[in-house]
Amino acid sequence: MNFSKNKLKFTGERVIVDNNSKYNLNYIRHMVAYNFAKDFIKGKIVLDDGSGSGYGSYFLAKNGAKKIIGIDISKEAVEYSKNTYKNKNLSFEVMNATNLNFNNNTFDVVCSFQVIEHIKDYDKFLSEIKRVLKLGGIALIVTPNKKTYSLENEKSVNPFHIKEFYLNEFNDILHSHFNDVEIFGVKYKPKLEEIKSSFEKSFYKKISRLFQKIHLSFIKKIIPRKIKNLVSKKYYKNINISDFEITKSDLDNALDFIGVCKKI
């Protein structure tokens, strides 16, 4: 796929796939969740709720979904997705995740990955997901673990995040909308844990953390993406989704939580 034809502004938060993405740990981490979703979407009508730049919706469209609609509040992101990712069973629409323009009981599966932490009214967000799910349908909700993502700081290290969740909070909010909930955790396997530890000690990472305390957007001006890509390639050139694990053990220290919620 040629990514050079279509451009989408890099905000520092939205993942945009390009020729360097295979070295981007954040992209690989996102794809762990989409790969997990494969077992739930085969032959199903699927909503990708908060589809961003569209790469995940495209992945699910190519891996067994009967039909998939990706929605995002950003018109720019949706136009990019339409122009970049095309498949006969895939479409994209501009839509607010707290006010979905779909009938009740429309989808077999709703995927929403790394979205809920951006939503102020997360109760309405989850209510809308449940409303558009068919009876017996599955919602897959993924969000970072506040304990490991923001190191338990009261304020998130990511200015794009409105509300991050600890395990007990995530469990409670999902159970307030769904009676059948199972939570998994995404973690590094030992090999990647060791590489990540080495990366965290690098000069580049130390400078990044210093600038991050000042202002996230300032980092992008000081450290161009080309430099970031070179550093990422050095550390993560042999990393892929198999270097992560999805587990139910020690969830409190997971990188991300995956909530599997069934409408009954």
Side-chain angles (χ1 to χ4, degrees), residues 165-196:
F165 297 87
Y166 292 106
L167 176 59
N168 65 313
E169 293 177 320
F170 189 58
N171 182 66
D172 289 347
I173 191 65
L174 294 184
H175 274 98
S176 71
H177 293 271
F178 296 92
N179 292 325
D180 188 339
V181 175
E182 192 171 12
I183 297 178
F184 297 84
V186 177
K187 293 183 177 181
Y188 299 133
K189 287 183 179 178
K191 169 190 168 183
L192 180 51
E193 189 76 65
E194 185 177 337
I195 293 172
K196 188 69 166 61

Side-chain angles (χ1 to χ4, degrees), residues 36-37 40 47 49 107-113 125-126 128-134 136-142 170 174 177-178 180-182 258-263:
F36 177 81
F40 295 88
L47 174 65
D49 192 353
F107 296 97
D108 300 301
V109 179
V110 175
C111 299
S112 192
F113 299 162
F125 166 75
L126 290 171
E128 281 291 273
I129 288 176
K130 184 177 181 181
R131 180 183 67 79
V132 301
L133 267 178
K134 296 177 182 177
I138 298 292
L140 301 174
I141 315 293
V142 179
F170 189 58
L174 294 184
H177 293 271
F178 296 92
D180 188 339
V181 175
E182 192 171 12
I258 302 178
V260 180
C261 312
K262 186 175 183 179
K263 181 177 177 178

Side-chain angles (χ1 to χ4, degrees), residues 7-136:
K7 297 293 183 182
L8 182 62
K9 183 180 178 181
F10 179 67
T11 64
E13 173 66 0
R14 185 187 291 127
V15 173
I16 303 170
V17 178
D18 58 24
N19 294 324
N20 292 297
S21 293
K22 59 185 177 182
Y23 313 120
N24 183 329
L25 195 63
N26 193 37
Y27 164 71
I28 300 169
R29 178 170 160 179
H30 279 62
M31 286 307 302
V32 170
Y34 278 107
N35 191 64
F36 177 81
K38 281 197 309 183
D39 291 337
F40 295 88
I41 57 88
K42 294 188 185 303
K44 305 295 185 181
I45 300 173
V46 182
L47 174 65
D48 191 5
D49 192 353
S51 53
S53 62
Y55 65 92
S57 304
Y58 181 73
F59 176 83
L60 296 180
K62 298 285 283 186
N63 281 276
K66 179 180 180 181
K67 177 182 179 181
I68 181 160
I69 301 174
I71 67 108
D72 201 276
I73 199 168
S74 168
K75 182 178 179 180
E76 181 188 27
V78 168
E79 286 303 311
Y80 173 87
S81 299
K82 287 180 177 180
N83 291 330
T84 307
Y85 299 106
K86 299 180 181 182
N87 212 57
K88 62 181 181 180
N89 60 341
L90 174 63
S91 62
F92 295 96
E93 298 183 30
V94 178
M95 203 174 298
N96 189 326
T98 61
N99 187 25
L100 297 174
N101 189 26
F102 298 113
N103 293 331
N104 297 350
N105 311 306
T106 297
F107 296 97
D108 300 301
V109 179
V110 175
C111 299
S112 192
F113 299 162
Q114 311 291 350
V115 176
I116 191 172
E117 64 273 13
H118 297 267
I119 305 291
K120 183 176 182 180
D121 192 350
Y122 47 81
D123 273 307
K124 184 68 163 61
F125 166 75
L126 290 171
S127 292
E128 281 291 273
I129 288 176
K130 184 177 181 181
R131 180 183 67 79
V132 301
L133 267 178
K134 296 177 182 177
L135 190 64

Side-chain angles (χ1 to χ4, degrees), residues 216-233:
L216 185 65
S217 63
F218 187 49
I219 304 172
K220 296 191 286 294
K221 296 177 182 179
I222 298 298
I223 307 176
R225 289 188 72 192
K226 287 184 179 180
I227 296 177
K228 293 181 183 180
N229 290 336
L230 286 172
V231 174
S232 294
K233 185 174 182 179

